mmCIF file of all heavy atoms in Angstrom:
data_model
loop_
_atom_site.group_PDB
_atom_site.id
_atom_site.type_symbol
_atom_site.label_atom_id
_atom_site.label_comp_id
_atom_site.label_asym_id
_atom_site.label_seq_id
_atom_site.Cartn_x
_atom_site.Cartn_y
_atom_site.Cartn_z
ATOM 1 N N PRO A 82 78.471 106.134 103.529
ATOM 2 C CA PRO A 82 79.079 107.464 103.472
ATOM 3 C C PRO A 82 80.414 107.500 104.199
ATOM 4 O O PRO A 82 80.525 107.035 105.334
ATOM 5 C CB PRO A 82 78.045 108.356 104.175
ATOM 6 C CG PRO A 82 76.754 107.622 104.001
ATOM 7 C CD PRO A 82 77.103 106.164 104.059
ATOM 8 N N LEU A 83 81.419 108.042 103.549
ATOM 9 C CA LEU A 83 82.729 108.136 104.177
ATOM 10 C C LEU A 83 82.700 109.023 105.408
ATOM 11 O O LEU A 83 83.557 108.909 106.278
ATOM 12 C CB LEU A 83 83.758 108.655 103.174
ATOM 13 C CG LEU A 83 84.151 107.667 102.077
ATOM 14 C CD1 LEU A 83 84.997 108.352 101.017
ATOM 15 C CD2 LEU A 83 84.906 106.493 102.657
ATOM 16 N N SER A 84 81.710 109.895 105.488
ATOM 17 C CA SER A 84 81.623 110.776 106.652
ATOM 18 C C SER A 84 81.446 109.979 107.941
ATOM 19 O O SER A 84 81.746 110.469 109.025
ATOM 20 C CB SER A 84 80.457 111.762 106.493
ATOM 21 O OG SER A 84 79.235 111.064 106.364
ATOM 22 N N ALA A 85 80.977 108.736 107.847
ATOM 23 C CA ALA A 85 80.801 107.921 109.042
ATOM 24 C C ALA A 85 82.130 107.568 109.696
ATOM 25 O O ALA A 85 82.166 107.145 110.849
ATOM 26 C CB ALA A 85 80.033 106.643 108.700
ATOM 27 N N LEU A 86 83.226 107.745 108.957
ATOM 28 C CA LEU A 86 84.542 107.495 109.536
ATOM 29 C C LEU A 86 84.957 108.610 110.490
ATOM 30 O O LEU A 86 85.931 108.465 111.218
ATOM 31 C CB LEU A 86 85.590 107.370 108.427
ATOM 32 C CG LEU A 86 85.544 106.081 107.606
ATOM 33 C CD1 LEU A 86 86.396 106.215 106.363
ATOM 34 C CD2 LEU A 86 86.021 104.908 108.437
ATOM 35 N N PHE A 87 84.242 109.713 110.458
ATOM 36 C CA PHE A 87 84.587 110.852 111.304
ATOM 37 C C PHE A 87 83.697 110.873 112.538
ATOM 38 O O PHE A 87 82.509 110.585 112.482
ATOM 39 C CB PHE A 87 84.397 112.166 110.528
ATOM 40 C CG PHE A 87 85.399 112.386 109.449
ATOM 41 C CD1 PHE A 87 85.301 111.720 108.243
ATOM 42 C CD2 PHE A 87 86.460 113.256 109.646
ATOM 43 C CE1 PHE A 87 86.227 111.924 107.240
ATOM 44 C CE2 PHE A 87 87.395 113.456 108.648
ATOM 45 C CZ PHE A 87 87.275 112.786 107.439
ATOM 46 N N GLY A 88 84.286 111.225 113.666
ATOM 47 C CA GLY A 88 83.500 111.386 114.877
ATOM 48 C C GLY A 88 83.004 112.818 115.019
ATOM 49 O O GLY A 88 83.298 113.687 114.206
ATOM 50 N N GLU A 89 82.237 113.048 116.063
ATOM 51 C CA GLU A 89 81.822 114.407 116.372
ATOM 52 C C GLU A 89 83.021 115.148 116.960
ATOM 53 O O GLU A 89 83.871 114.537 117.595
ATOM 54 C CB GLU A 89 80.662 114.382 117.367
ATOM 55 C CG GLU A 89 79.404 113.750 116.808
ATOM 56 C CD GLU A 89 78.767 114.562 115.694
ATOM 57 O OE1 GLU A 89 79.214 115.696 115.455
ATOM 58 O OE2 GLU A 89 77.830 114.056 115.060
ATOM 59 N N PRO A 90 83.179 116.474 116.745
ATOM 60 C CA PRO A 90 82.155 117.328 116.138
ATOM 61 C C PRO A 90 82.258 117.446 114.620
ATOM 62 O O PRO A 90 81.544 118.236 114.005
ATOM 63 C CB PRO A 90 82.463 118.701 116.779
ATOM 64 C CG PRO A 90 83.958 118.663 116.910
ATOM 65 C CD PRO A 90 84.313 117.234 117.273
ATOM 66 N N TYR A 91 83.145 116.657 113.999
ATOM 67 C CA TYR A 91 83.392 116.825 112.565
ATOM 68 C C TYR A 91 82.149 116.575 111.714
ATOM 69 O O TYR A 91 81.870 117.306 110.768
ATOM 70 C CB TYR A 91 84.525 115.892 112.133
ATOM 71 C CG TYR A 91 85.767 116.084 112.950
ATOM 72 C CD1 TYR A 91 86.131 115.159 113.922
ATOM 73 C CD2 TYR A 91 86.556 117.217 112.794
ATOM 74 C CE1 TYR A 91 87.261 115.344 114.700
ATOM 75 C CE2 TYR A 91 87.688 117.411 113.573
ATOM 76 C CZ TYR A 91 88.031 116.472 114.525
ATOM 77 O OH TYR A 91 89.142 116.665 115.294
ATOM 78 N N ARG A 92 81.374 115.542 112.066
ATOM 79 C CA ARG A 92 80.222 115.194 111.241
ATOM 80 C C ARG A 92 79.058 116.159 111.432
ATOM 81 O O ARG A 92 78.046 116.045 110.750
ATOM 82 C CB ARG A 92 79.773 113.760 111.541
ATOM 83 C CG ARG A 92 80.720 112.709 110.965
ATOM 84 C CD ARG A 92 80.165 111.302 111.091
ATOM 85 N NE ARG A 92 80.109 110.866 112.478
ATOM 86 C CZ ARG A 92 79.002 110.513 113.113
ATOM 87 N NH1 ARG A 92 77.850 110.587 112.501
ATOM 88 N NH2 ARG A 92 79.049 110.107 114.360
ATOM 89 N N SER A 93 79.160 117.087 112.381
ATOM 90 C CA SER A 93 78.050 117.998 112.639
ATOM 91 C C SER A 93 77.872 119.009 111.510
ATOM 92 O O SER A 93 76.818 119.618 111.381
ATOM 93 C CB SER A 93 78.261 118.740 113.964
ATOM 94 O OG SER A 93 79.464 119.499 113.914
ATOM 95 N N ASP A 94 78.897 119.186 110.695
ATOM 96 C CA ASP A 94 78.823 120.118 109.569
ATOM 97 C C ASP A 94 78.626 119.311 108.287
ATOM 98 O O ASP A 94 79.576 118.815 107.687
ATOM 99 C CB ASP A 94 80.115 120.946 109.488
ATOM 100 C CG ASP A 94 80.018 122.071 108.479
ATOM 101 O OD1 ASP A 94 79.265 121.934 107.494
ATOM 102 O OD2 ASP A 94 80.710 123.088 108.658
ATOM 103 N N ALA A 95 77.381 119.148 107.862
ATOM 104 C CA ALA A 95 77.059 118.283 106.726
ATOM 105 C C ALA A 95 77.719 118.765 105.433
ATOM 106 O O ALA A 95 78.226 117.959 104.643
ATOM 107 C CB ALA A 95 75.549 118.192 106.540
ATOM 108 N N ALA A 96 77.734 120.070 105.224
ATOM 109 C CA ALA A 96 78.332 120.608 104.001
ATOM 110 C C ALA A 96 79.827 120.307 103.959
ATOM 111 O O ALA A 96 80.382 119.939 102.920
ATOM 112 C CB ALA A 96 78.079 122.110 103.909
ATOM 113 N N GLN A 97 80.467 120.461 105.104
ATOM 114 C CA GLN A 97 81.895 120.187 105.193
ATOM 115 C C GLN A 97 82.176 118.703 104.922
ATOM 116 O O GLN A 97 83.127 118.353 104.219
ATOM 117 C CB GLN A 97 82.396 120.568 106.587
ATOM 118 C CG GLN A 97 83.910 120.527 106.732
ATOM 119 C CD GLN A 97 84.338 120.983 108.126
ATOM 120 O OE1 GLN A 97 83.795 120.520 109.117
ATOM 121 N NE2 GLN A 97 85.279 121.893 108.178
ATOM 122 N N MET A 98 81.333 117.832 105.462
ATOM 123 C CA MET A 98 81.524 116.403 105.265
ATOM 124 C C MET A 98 81.352 116.013 103.803
ATOM 125 O O MET A 98 82.041 115.129 103.295
ATOM 126 C CB MET A 98 80.555 115.605 106.137
ATOM 127 C CG MET A 98 80.964 115.514 107.592
ATOM 128 S SD MET A 98 82.555 114.663 107.832
ATOM 129 C CE MET A 98 83.677 116.057 108.016
ATOM 130 N N ARG A 99 80.441 116.671 103.105
ATOM 131 C CA ARG A 99 80.274 116.377 101.671
ATOM 132 C C ARG A 99 81.544 116.739 100.915
ATOM 133 O O ARG A 99 81.972 116.030 99.998
ATOM 134 C CB ARG A 99 79.062 117.118 101.112
ATOM 135 C CG ARG A 99 77.728 116.523 101.534
ATOM 136 C CD ARG A 99 76.591 117.008 100.654
ATOM 137 N NE ARG A 99 76.363 118.446 100.776
ATOM 138 C CZ ARG A 99 75.549 118.980 101.665
ATOM 139 N NH1 ARG A 99 74.907 118.199 102.524
ATOM 140 N NH2 ARG A 99 75.366 120.288 101.707
ATOM 141 N N ARG A 100 82.161 117.841 101.302
ATOM 142 C CA ARG A 100 83.420 118.233 100.658
ATOM 143 C C ARG A 100 84.508 117.225 100.952
ATOM 144 O O ARG A 100 85.311 116.877 100.083
ATOM 145 C CB ARG A 100 83.832 119.626 101.144
ATOM 146 C CG ARG A 100 82.891 120.734 100.697
ATOM 147 C CD ARG A 100 83.269 122.053 101.334
ATOM 148 N NE ARG A 100 84.528 122.543 100.804
ATOM 149 C CZ ARG A 100 85.207 123.567 101.340
ATOM 150 N NH1 ARG A 100 84.736 124.175 102.407
ATOM 151 N NH2 ARG A 100 86.335 123.966 100.804
ATOM 152 N N VAL A 101 84.548 116.744 102.202
ATOM 153 C CA VAL A 101 85.557 115.767 102.587
ATOM 154 C C VAL A 101 85.348 114.461 101.833
ATOM 155 O O VAL A 101 86.296 113.855 101.333
ATOM 156 C CB VAL A 101 85.521 115.529 104.113
ATOM 157 C CG1 VAL A 101 86.354 114.325 104.490
ATOM 158 C CG2 VAL A 101 86.011 116.767 104.850
ATOM 159 N N GLU A 102 84.101 114.009 101.739
ATOM 160 C CA GLU A 102 83.817 112.777 101.012
ATOM 161 C C GLU A 102 84.235 112.909 99.544
ATOM 162 O O GLU A 102 84.803 111.982 98.957
ATOM 163 C CB GLU A 102 82.338 112.434 101.116
ATOM 164 C CG GLU A 102 81.929 111.936 102.484
ATOM 165 C CD GLU A 102 80.573 111.259 102.466
ATOM 166 O OE1 GLU A 102 79.970 111.176 101.379
ATOM 167 O OE2 GLU A 102 80.131 110.802 103.523
ATOM 168 N N ALA A 103 83.934 114.061 98.964
ATOM 169 C CA ALA A 103 84.334 114.286 97.574
ATOM 170 C C ALA A 103 85.844 114.203 97.433
ATOM 171 O O ALA A 103 86.367 113.627 96.471
ATOM 172 C CB ALA A 103 83.824 115.645 97.096
ATOM 173 N N HIS A 104 86.549 114.758 98.411
ATOM 174 C CA HIS A 104 88.009 114.754 98.352
ATOM 175 C C HIS A 104 88.562 113.338 98.504
ATOM 176 O O HIS A 104 89.442 112.915 97.749
ATOM 177 C CB HIS A 104 88.587 115.652 99.448
ATOM 178 C CG HIS A 104 90.085 115.707 99.466
ATOM 179 N ND1 HIS A 104 90.807 116.326 98.475
ATOM 180 C CD2 HIS A 104 90.991 115.188 100.334
ATOM 181 C CE1 HIS A 104 92.110 116.198 98.738
ATOM 182 N NE2 HIS A 104 92.234 115.515 99.858
ATOM 183 N N LEU A 105 88.048 112.573 99.470
ATOM 184 C CA LEU A 105 88.532 111.216 99.680
ATOM 185 C C LEU A 105 88.293 110.353 98.449
ATOM 186 O O LEU A 105 89.161 109.587 98.030
ATOM 187 C CB LEU A 105 87.857 110.601 100.907
ATOM 188 C CG LEU A 105 88.332 111.122 102.262
ATOM 189 C CD1 LEU A 105 87.473 110.544 103.382
ATOM 190 C CD2 LEU A 105 89.793 110.787 102.497
ATOM 191 N N LYS A 106 87.133 110.473 97.857
ATOM 192 C CA LYS A 106 86.847 109.682 96.669
ATOM 193 C C LYS A 106 87.706 110.121 95.498
ATOM 194 O O LYS A 106 88.135 109.320 94.675
ATOM 195 C CB LYS A 106 85.361 109.769 96.329
ATOM 196 C CG LYS A 106 84.494 108.897 97.223
ATOM 197 C CD LYS A 106 83.039 108.998 96.847
ATOM 198 C CE LYS A 106 82.292 109.875 97.815
ATOM 199 N NZ LYS A 106 80.844 109.931 97.534
ATOM 200 N N ARG A 107 87.976 111.421 95.462
ATOM 201 C CA ARG A 107 88.799 111.954 94.372
ATOM 202 C C ARG A 107 90.230 111.418 94.435
ATOM 203 O O ARG A 107 90.870 111.193 93.412
ATOM 204 C CB ARG A 107 88.814 113.486 94.437
ATOM 205 C CG ARG A 107 89.431 114.163 93.229
ATOM 206 C CD ARG A 107 89.262 115.668 93.314
ATOM 207 N NE ARG A 107 87.865 116.037 93.240
ATOM 208 C CZ ARG A 107 87.140 116.485 94.275
ATOM 209 N NH1 ARG A 107 87.700 116.612 95.460
ATOM 210 N NH2 ARG A 107 85.876 116.803 94.117
ATOM 211 N N VAL A 108 90.747 111.221 95.638
ATOM 212 C CA VAL A 108 92.118 110.723 95.769
ATOM 213 C C VAL A 108 92.168 109.197 95.763
ATOM 214 O O VAL A 108 93.231 108.606 95.905
ATOM 215 C CB VAL A 108 92.796 111.265 97.045
ATOM 216 C CG1 VAL A 108 92.857 112.785 97.017
ATOM 217 C CG2 VAL A 108 92.107 110.762 98.315
ATOM 218 N N GLY A 109 91.016 108.542 95.588
ATOM 219 C CA GLY A 109 91.004 107.102 95.420
ATOM 220 C C GLY A 109 90.782 106.287 96.671
ATOM 221 O O GLY A 109 91.129 105.112 96.725
ATOM 222 N N PHE A 110 90.187 106.893 97.713
ATOM 223 C CA PHE A 110 89.937 106.189 98.972
ATOM 224 C C PHE A 110 88.480 105.744 99.013
ATOM 225 O O PHE A 110 87.568 106.560 98.963
ATOM 226 C CB PHE A 110 90.238 107.104 100.158
ATOM 227 C CG PHE A 110 90.025 106.460 101.507
ATOM 228 C CD1 PHE A 110 91.108 105.979 102.227
ATOM 229 C CD2 PHE A 110 88.757 106.338 102.050
ATOM 230 C CE1 PHE A 110 90.919 105.389 103.470
ATOM 231 C CE2 PHE A 110 88.560 105.745 103.289
ATOM 232 C CZ PHE A 110 89.641 105.276 104.008
ATOM 233 N N THR A 111 88.258 104.412 99.109
ATOM 234 C CA THR A 111 86.910 103.853 99.190
ATOM 235 C C THR A 111 86.837 102.920 100.393
ATOM 236 O O THR A 111 87.813 102.249 100.715
ATOM 237 C CB THR A 111 86.565 103.062 97.916
ATOM 238 O OG1 THR A 111 86.765 103.896 96.776
ATOM 239 C CG2 THR A 111 85.116 102.594 97.930
ATOM 240 N N PHE A 112 85.675 102.900 101.046
ATOM 241 C CA PHE A 112 85.503 102.048 102.223
ATOM 242 C C PHE A 112 84.274 101.163 102.009
ATOM 243 O O PHE A 112 83.174 101.658 101.820
ATOM 244 C CB PHE A 112 85.314 102.915 103.473
ATOM 245 C CG PHE A 112 85.487 102.158 104.767
ATOM 246 C CD1 PHE A 112 86.608 102.352 105.557
ATOM 247 C CD2 PHE A 112 84.526 101.266 105.199
ATOM 248 C CE1 PHE A 112 86.763 101.655 106.754
ATOM 249 C CE2 PHE A 112 84.670 100.567 106.388
ATOM 250 C CZ PHE A 112 85.799 100.761 107.170
ATOM 251 N N HIS A 113 84.475 99.840 102.016
ATOM 252 C CA HIS A 113 83.379 98.887 101.946
ATOM 253 C C HIS A 113 83.195 98.272 103.327
ATOM 254 O O HIS A 113 84.077 97.549 103.804
ATOM 255 C CB HIS A 113 83.672 97.782 100.934
ATOM 256 C CG HIS A 113 83.608 98.236 99.517
ATOM 257 N ND1 HIS A 113 83.622 97.363 98.461
ATOM 258 C CD2 HIS A 113 83.531 99.478 98.976
ATOM 259 C CE1 HIS A 113 83.550 98.038 97.326
ATOM 260 N NE2 HIS A 113 83.512 99.316 97.620
#
Side-chain angles (χ1 to χ4, degrees):
L83 288 171
S84 60
L86 287 167
F87 290 77
E89 295 293 352
Y91 305 105
R92 287 188 292 120
S93 60
D94 189 331
Q97 189 177 49
M98 282 298 99
R99 286 197 295 271
R100 293 174 69 191
V101 168
E102 287 195 1
H104 180 69
L105 286 174
K106 283 181 257 184
R107 190 174 295 108
V108 300
F110 181 100
T111 306
F112 195 108
H113 288 191

